[in-house]
């Protein structure tokens, strides 16, 4: 559509760009400075002598192990979500059973359950199950809290499949199972990639469950590593920010390659 | 569009196996039964619904983390509601939530509607705006704690703007920091919701308005805003739930201080339970949070008719 440029909006958008970009600039440049240069030149100055010591320091400080742990948790959470949510969303969209629409309401309500609300009983349950300080104990609740939003996103995607396709398959005598594998799964690839990216992000960035359900270095996740680093070396700002940058790198990579999946899915939350 | 009209599917085509899956309505030929939803439902019930019920039970017990919880009746409840820090924390939670909604809603509507345009520059800028959303709350909080450090941070450089530079030393500025950091982190998410919703507004409405001679601002207030109603409700519910449960930001940025001046309920719950080993009181506070969040969400869902999800595709 042909339109006059909107100058006030353009100015506002640049202001917001500054607000988003400046902290990111300070963060990136700080990680390339030595601690003394940061203290001398202040946060806004451009680095004069570029050093990578902050990054190597983070790795020797145990971040390698935290990375591995976080990857394990993320992969397992995504696996559980992929195993459970597609059949669930399929039932939500296609089943005529009254129980299933009750289930959908349950998951909608589940959207409003914050992790904080259940953290005390979760601690009790996980301790009783002997899973305290074990990555499995973090994976299970994290995956459970990915289900409501994933179910919402994926059932939205499945609802867009033309019902005539189901009818055509039913005419050929296809079972629900065959429709699921030959029609529903191939046609909801977009929704599937969104829930993968989304639950991976949740798992990677999760903090409360690891904070409460683990304690040793062997099970430490990267967010918890950041928190500990902050409490121990809070004054060494360049090293601290290098750790922050490292924690972001995988997510930024995913964003570069799967931006569409993430953005479309989140837009759908309010759009439909 | 309806997924529910099943007049086609002739029963004659159904095999015996299909019938086994058909529901009592008799029209469910080739439709999945409840069994498909069962694994996810059981898993969710076990790790989200059961703990939610348990938190209610635990709020009537005394438990120090070891051994078994012991029933104490209303003891925790009378203690938390007699605790001035708790009462203060409720007000602080509400204040922070209200600030979040008041700041983020107009900002994200404007940014979202702006980003909904298909211009190239808008697409590029939107991609950058999105970055804070990718960071964990932990990373965001650690980042801002470092940036706002009283000695080595930005306020120490810009003293003309920030005074003595210690934003964490006074209640008003500490709350300001929390509200600001939440805004910085979550506005992109809500922007995205509005961007999607704004793109879904039928273009004919704008064309009609243009023919009637309505300018950009009238179009915004008379078409865009009313059409964004559902998105506003969704986004506000998420802000309320998110605001009431803000935790990492407080833990890392202010530790609830100065004193207890930014100790909001979610943080107080953590302190009570996992620092004071008073899991009974912690559970009671958690339950207060859930009830508050649920009531607010339900009211908004009822007001909006958002629960009638199934019909939302109709007419498109």
């Amino acid at each position: 559509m042909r339109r006059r440029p909107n100058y006030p909006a353009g100015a506002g958008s640049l202001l917001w760009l500054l607000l988003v970009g400046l902290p990111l600039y300070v963060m990136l440049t700080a990680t390339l400075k030595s601690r003394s240069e940061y203290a001398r030149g202040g946060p806004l100055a451009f680095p004069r002598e570029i050093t990578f010591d902050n990054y190597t320091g983070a790795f020797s400080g145990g971040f390698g192990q935290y990375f591995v742990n976080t990857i394990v948790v993320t992969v397992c959470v995504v696996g559980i979500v992929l195993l459970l949510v597609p059949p669930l969303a399929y039932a939500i969209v296609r089943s005529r059973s009254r129980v299933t629409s009750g289930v959908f309401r349950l998951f909608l309500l589940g959207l409003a359950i914050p992790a904080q609300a259940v953290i005390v009983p979760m601690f009790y349950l996980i301790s009783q199950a002997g899973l305290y300080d074990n990555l499995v104990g973090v994976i299970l609740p994290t995956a459970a809290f990915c289900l409501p939003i994933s179910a919402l996103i994926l059932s939205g995607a499945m609802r867009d499949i033309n019902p005539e396709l189901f009818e055509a398959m039913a005419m050929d005598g296809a079972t629900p199972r065959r429709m699921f594998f030959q029609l529903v799964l191939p046609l909801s690839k977009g929704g599937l990639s969104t829930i993968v990216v989304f639950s991976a992000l949740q798992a990677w960035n999760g903090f409360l469950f690891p904070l409460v359900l683990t304690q040793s270095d062997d099970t430490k996740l990267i967010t918890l590593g950041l928190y500990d680093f902050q409490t121990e070396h809070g004054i060494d700002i360049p090293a601290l920010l290098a750790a922050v940058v490292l924690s972001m790198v995988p997510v930024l990579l995913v964003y570069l390659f799967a931006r569409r999946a993430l953005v479309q899915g989140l837009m759908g939350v309010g759009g439909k | 569009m309806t997924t529910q009209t099943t007049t086609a599917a002739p029963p004659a085509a159904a095999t015996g196996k299909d019938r086994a899956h058909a529901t009592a309505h008799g029209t469910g030929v080739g439709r999945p039964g409840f069994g498909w939803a069962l694994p996810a439902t059981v898993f969710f019930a076990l790790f989200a619904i059961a703990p939610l019920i348990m938190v209610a039970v635990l709020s009537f017990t005394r438990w120090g983390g070891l051994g078994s919880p012991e029933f104490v009746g209303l003891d925790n409840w009378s203690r938390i509601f007699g605790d001035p820090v708790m009462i203060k924390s409720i007000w602080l939670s509400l204040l922070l939530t209200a600030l979040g909604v008041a700041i983020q809603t107009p900002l994200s509507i404007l940014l979202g509607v702006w980003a909904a345009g298909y211009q190239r520059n808008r697409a590029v800028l939107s991609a950058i705006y999105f970055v804070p959303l990718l960071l964990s709350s932990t990373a965001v909080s650690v980042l801002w704690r470092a940036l706002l450090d009283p000695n080595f941070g930005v306020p120490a450089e810009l003293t003309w703007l920030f005074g003595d530079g210690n934003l964490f030393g006074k209640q008003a500025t500490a709350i300001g920091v929390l509200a600001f950091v939440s805004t910085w982190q979550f506005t992109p998410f809500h922007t995205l919701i509005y961007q999607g919703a704004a793109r879904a507004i039928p273009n004919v409405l704008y064309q009609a308005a243009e023919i009637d001679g309505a300018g950009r601002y009238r179009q915004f207030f008379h078409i865009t805003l009313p059409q964004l109603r559902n998105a506003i409700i969704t986004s506000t519910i998420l802000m309320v739930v998110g605001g009431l449960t803000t935790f990492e930001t407080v833990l890392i940025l202010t530790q609830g201080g100065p004193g207890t001046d930014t100790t909001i309920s979610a943080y107080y719950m953590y302190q009570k339970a996992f620092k004071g080993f008073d899991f009974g009181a912690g559970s009671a506070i958690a339950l207060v949070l859930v009830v508050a969040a649920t009531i607010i969400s339900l009211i908004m869902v009822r007001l909006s008719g958002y629960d009638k999800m199934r019909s939302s595709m109709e007419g498109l």
Side-chain angles (χ1 to χ4, degrees):
Chain A
M1 211 164 76
R2 142 202 80 78
R3 282 198 147 191
R4 290 172 291 125
N6 190 342
Y7 292 112
S13 68
L14 286 180
L15 198 68
W16 186 253
L17 179 68
L18 196 69
L19 208 59
V20 171
L22 196 62
L24 297 176
Y25 159 82
V26 171
M27 174 167 72
L28 284 175
T29 52
T31 60
L32 303 174
K33 298 174 189 169
S34 68
R35 193 176 154 186
S36 58
E37 191 192 332
Y38 185 82
R40 228 179 316 112
L44 298 173
F46 197 78
R48 270 178 303 163
E49 284 167 55
I50 287 179
T51 166
F52 291 101
D53 289 353
N54 297 311
Y55 288 98
T56 51
F59 268 105
S60 60
F63 263 78
Q65 173 70 42
Y66 309 159
F67 251 94
V68 174
N69 292 341
T70 315
I71 289 171
V72 169
V73 168
T74 305
V75 169
C76 292
V77 166
V78 169
I80 293 176
V81 168
L82 272 186
L83 216 58
L84 293 180
V85 174
L88 169 71
Y90 178 46
I92 287 174
V93 172
R94 290 288 296 167
S95 171
R96 314 291 313 279
S97 150
R98 206 164 290 167
V99 194
T100 316
S101 57
V103 163
F104 185 52
R105 274 162 195 278
L106 180 80
F107 278 98
L108 270 188
L109 208 66
L111 280 176
I113 304 178
Q116 274 96 340
V118 299
I119 193 65
V120 172
M122 197 66 82
F123 174 69
Y124 180 76
L125 283 174
I126 295 291
S127 316
Q128 293 293 310
L131 292 174
Y132 180 73
D133 203 20
N134 184 326
L135 289 181
V136 177
V138 178
I139 291 167
L140 296 176
T142 306
F145 275 80
C146 288
L147 293 184
I149 186 82
S150 304
L152 193 69
I153 291 171
L154 194 60
S155 58
M158 287 182 181
R159 231 171 240 133
D160 289 347
I161 299 174
N162 189 338
E164 281 169 23
L165 294 173
F166 287 103
E167 281 153 23
M169 281 193 87
M171 294 250 238
D172 293 342
T175 58
R177 174 195 294 267
R178 231 184 89 200
M179 291 186 195
F180 178 68
F181 284 108
Q182 294 187 355
L183 175 67
V184 176
L185 283 189
L187 286 185
S188 42
K189 276 197 194 116
L192 285 171
S193 45
T194 304
I195 64 170
V196 166
V197 172
F198 199 82
S199 41
L201 203 60
Q202 294 273 90
W204 189 270
N205 287 343
F207 179 74
L208 188 65
F209 288 133
L211 174 71
V212 169
L213 302 174
T214 65
Q215 60 173 6
S216 63
D217 247 17
D218 300 337
T219 55
K220 194 165 284 176
L221 299 191
I222 206 150
T223 46
L224 210 52
L226 276 184
Y227 173 58
D228 285 354
F229 199 93
Q230 203 250 358
T231 21
E232 283 158 31
H233 315 277
I235 10 162
D236 191 355
I237 289 177
L240 182 62
L241 291 178
V244 173
V245 172
L246 283 178
S247 80
M248 294 165 49
V249 168
V251 184
L252 283 176
L253 285 180
V254 170
Y255 181 54
L256 279 183
F257 292 109
R259 198 171 83 82
R260 179 167 291 269
L262 187 63
V263 170
Q264 295 294 334
L266 289 177
M267 264 192 212
V269 172
K272 275 189 200 150
Chain B
M1 216 167 105
T2 54
T3 45
Q4 296 175 59
T5 42
T6 48
T7 42
T15 65
K17 204 172 173 202
D18 281 323
R19 272 204 195 98
H21 283 278
T23 61
H25 302 292
T27 49
V29 174
R31 286 180 181 273
F34 170 67
W36 288 80
L38 198 61
T41 312
V42 169
F43 189 79
F44 189 65
L46 210 59
F47 288 99
I49 306 294
L52 195 62
I53 297 168
M54 276 181 70
V55 82
V57 176
L58 283 174
S59 72
F60 298 103
T61 64
R62 176 174 301 135
W63 184 48
L66 296 170
S68 307
E70 166 198 344
F71 186 76
V72 291
L74 288 171
D75 181 53
N76 296 318
W77 288 97
S78 59
R79 270 193 307 130
I80 68 163
F81 283 114
D83 178 354
V85 180
M86 175 64 197
I87 305 298
K88 185 167 142 191
S89 79
I90 294 176
W91 287 113
L92 284 169
S93 298
L94 292 177
L95 172 69
L96 215 57
T97 307
L99 273 177
V101 173
I103 300 170
Q104 290 174 44
T105 303
L107 249 177
S108 47
I109 289 180
L110 287 175
L111 283 168
V113 170
W114 177 83
Y118 288 93
Q119 293 89 329
R120 183 86 196 129
N121 63 332
R122 297 190 181 189
V124 172
L125 283 183
S126 309
I128 301 172
Y129 291 169
F130 197 79
V131 171
L133 186 56
L134 299 170
L135 310 188
S136 58
S137 300
T138 323
V140 170
S141 309
V142 168
L143 168 62
W144 280 102
R145 174 80 218 187
L147 289 179
L148 298 176
D149 190 275
N151 300 311
F152 304 106
V154 176
E157 289 226 324
L158 309 177
T159 40
W160 54 270
L161 186 62
F162 293 101
D164 69 351
N166 187 2
L167 298 176
F168 301 104
K170 283 190 291 287
Q171 185 183 31
T173 48
I175 289 177
V177 167
L178 292 174
F180 172 79
V181 172
S182 299
T183 303
W184 191 82
Q185 186 185 4
F186 292 114
T187 301
F189 174 69
H190 298 284
T191 299
L192 212 55
I193 291 182
Y194 288 117
Q195 185 184 356
R199 281 189 177 169
I201 301 174
N203 222 340
V204 280
L205 294 179
Y206 292 105
Q207 287 159 356
E210 230 150 76
I211 291 169
D212 290 343
R216 183 176 279 137
Y217 296 99
R218 286 194 58 183
Q219 288 184 19
F220 178 78
F221 285 106
H222 289 95
I223 299 173
T224 311
L225 267 190
Q227 289 281 325
L228 289 179
R229 184 168 167 271
N230 276 347
I232 292 175
I233 287 156
T234 313
S235 145
T236 313
I237 291 177
L238 294 172
M239 281 180 195
V240 168
V241 176
L244 288 178
T245 55
T246 308
F247 172 70
E248 286 101 318
T249 331
V250 175
L251 176 73
I252 293 169
L253 282 166
T254 67
Q255 292 88 43
T260 56
D261 280 353
T262 55
T263 300
I264 66 169
S265 301
Y267 179 70
Y268 196 48
M269 187 266 301
Y270 170 78
Q271 272 198 317
K272 275 275 181 209
F274 295 99
K275 295 289 159 196
F277 298 104
D278 188 349
F279 288 97
S283 301
I285 302 174
L287 201 60
V288 171
L289 281 175
V290 182
V291 170
T294 313
I295 289 177
I296 298 174
S297 309
L298 280 181
I299 292 174
M300 304 202 69
V301 166
R302 278 270 167 271
L303 285 180
S304 65
Y306 189 69
D307 54 340
K308 300 178 188 72
M309 285 285 293
R310 280 178 177 275
S311 62
S312 62
M313 282 289 289
E314 268 159 29
L316 283 181

